[in-house]
Amino acid sequence: MNRKLWLYTISLLTIFVLAACGSSEEASTWDKVKDGEEELVVGTSGTLVAVSYKDEDSDELTGYDVEVMRAIAEEAGIEVRFEQMGFDGMTAAINSGRIDVAINDIEITEERKENFAFSDPYKYSYTTLVVREDGLSGIETLQDLEGKVNGGAATTVFADIAEHYGATTKTYGNATNDQYLRDVDNGRTDVIINDYYASKLGINAFPQFDLVLHPDIKVHPTEQAIIMSKEDKELQENINKAIDKLKEDGTFAEISKEFFLGEDASTPPEGEIKEIEGIDY
């Protein structure tokens, strides 16, 4: 082979190698975690009573969402690692790649579905109000929220409900439940608009505060799910397979009853729950 032909052959081989490298796709999240070689990084707050919190005796993360995620991981044959963070930063953390998924009582909404993928629901609930026992914080109907102060995170459906009815939301970052409840009790805020189960457990956990669930307001039926990047379709499919199995065999119901005072949050609640008109969820 003469020198010119040899150099031409080498150049072609180099082009083919570079083209092959450029066309190779980065492994998907599911490919990275399916054999347990890498962990699925899961964002959660660690500050929601019964949902995602630290056990006082062991300082280990636990709660319905945490144990549901662990059960899903075991069923799917993957390993998980939890990353604690504030709710408001979870979607940004998915976008940046800091975490792969988030589980933190996150409601499925049309707005969120525009930018992210959701698993099938693992929890069903509705929205209620935590108010002072004496006078129900002056709130008889949702219209009475006008001018009131709601305690919560800024980017939640609950904050949207507060704003829709003329209330403002005082935000706390990644605060613990007792801070939210204490402020309603002492009058710094008037109400906590939140999930029924989280609200009930919060009141039960801190009986020193004179707070109740509003007896007449049950609105906005909700479905909670695991949120992830839209690109992670294979991960979504395998998580959904695990969810279907764990619902069917009663695993989720058993976990729920442990954390929600004997109630099963893995099935839709009974009774009339009113929809709220005029809010684009």
Side-chain angles (χ1 to χ4, degrees):
M1 182 182 295
N2 63 44
R3 179 177 176 79
K4 287 185 178 180
L5 181 58
W6 180 81
L7 289 173
Y8 177 71
T9 302
I10 293 297
S11 298
L12 284 178
L13 289 172
T14 302
I15 291 170
F16 290 149
V17 169
L18 290 174
C21 291
S23 63
S24 62
E25 296 182 2
E26 185 180 349
S28 69
T29 302
W30 175 250
D31 287 335
K32 292 177 182 178
V33 304
K34 65 182 179 181
D35 297 321
E37 294 180 4
E38 291 190 24
E39 297 169 314
L40 186 75
V41 184
V42 180
T44 194
S45 68
T47 58
L48 288 177
V49 171
V51 173
S52 172
Y53 67 101
K54 283 196 171 182
D55 185 271
E56 291 183 1
D57 297 327
S58 65
D59 201 38
E60 291 290 324
L61 274 174
T62 189
Y64 179 65
D65 283 25
V66 173
E67 301 307 331
V68 158
M69 191 70 241
R70 286 179 174 142
I72 290 169
E74 183 176 355
E75 177 65 29
I78 61 177
E79 300 291 330
V80 296
R81 173 170 60 85
F82 292 97
E83 183 86 13
Q84 282 187 246
M85 61 183 62
F87 175 83
D88 291 342
M90 289 180 187
T91 53
I94 291 172
N95 285 333
S96 70
R98 177 183 170 186
I99 61 175
D100 300 311
V101 304
I103 185 167
N104 201 71
D105 218 41
I106 300 171
E107 181 183 340
I108 301 172
T109 67
E110 291 302 318
E111 182 179 357
R112 288 173 181 156
K113 284 167 66 176
E114 290 178 5
N115 300 303
F116 298 93
F118 281 94
S119 71
D120 291 337
Y122 64 86
K123 178 172 177 275
Y124 301 84
S125 188
Y126 60 88
T127 297
T128 188
L129 276 60
V130 175
V131 291
R132 289 184 287 277
E133 185 172 14
D134 183 16
L136 303 179
S137 296
I139 300 169
E140 293 185 12
T141 68
L142 288 172
Q143 283 69 28
D144 295 324
L145 285 169
E146 185 171 0
K148 302 292 186 183
V149 180
N150 166 58
T155 58
T156 63
V157 170
F158 310 121
D160 291 341
I161 293 173
E163 182 180 356
H164 180 74
Y165 286 101
T168 57
T169 295
K170 172 181 168 60
T171 60
Y172 293 77
N174 199 28
T176 54
N177 288 63
D178 63 306
Q179 292 175 269
Y180 292 90
L181 296 167
R182 182 179 293 107
D183 277 2
V184 177
D185 183 60
N186 62 29
R188 289 194 180 97
T189 59
D190 302 296
V191 62
I192 301 169
I193 304 171
N194 210 330
D195 170 74
Y196 162 71
Y197 290 105
S199 299
K200 180 178 178 181
L201 268 294
I203 289 175
N204 186 74
F206 299 100
Q208 67 269 34
F209 303 131
D210 295 325
L211 304 174
V212 295
L213 297 183
H214 200 289
D216 302 319
I217 298 178
K218 298 178 181 180
V219 296
H220 184 50
T222 60
E223 297 178 345
Q224 283 74 26
I226 301 164
I227 191 170
M228 65 200 82
S229 169
K230 274 192 169 183
E231 297 176 358
D232 282 327
K233 295 187 181 299
E234 196 172 5
L235 176 66
Q236 181 188 35
E237 290 172 3
N238 282 279
I239 286 177
N240 284 342
K241 288 179 184 177
I243 287 174
D244 289 344
K245 173 69 164 50
L246 296 166
K247 280 183 180 179
E248 185 178 347
D249 69 13
T251 298
F252 283 179
E254 184 178 345
I255 295 172
S256 175
K257 289 175 183 178
E258 177 183 353
F259 291 101
F260 294 133
L261 301 177
E263 294 194 65
D264 181 7
S266 69
T267 57
E270 298 179 353
E272 182 183 3
I273 301 168
K274 295 181 180 179
E275 292 279 7
I276 299 176
E277 297 182 359
I279 300 180
D280 184 8
Y281 296 114

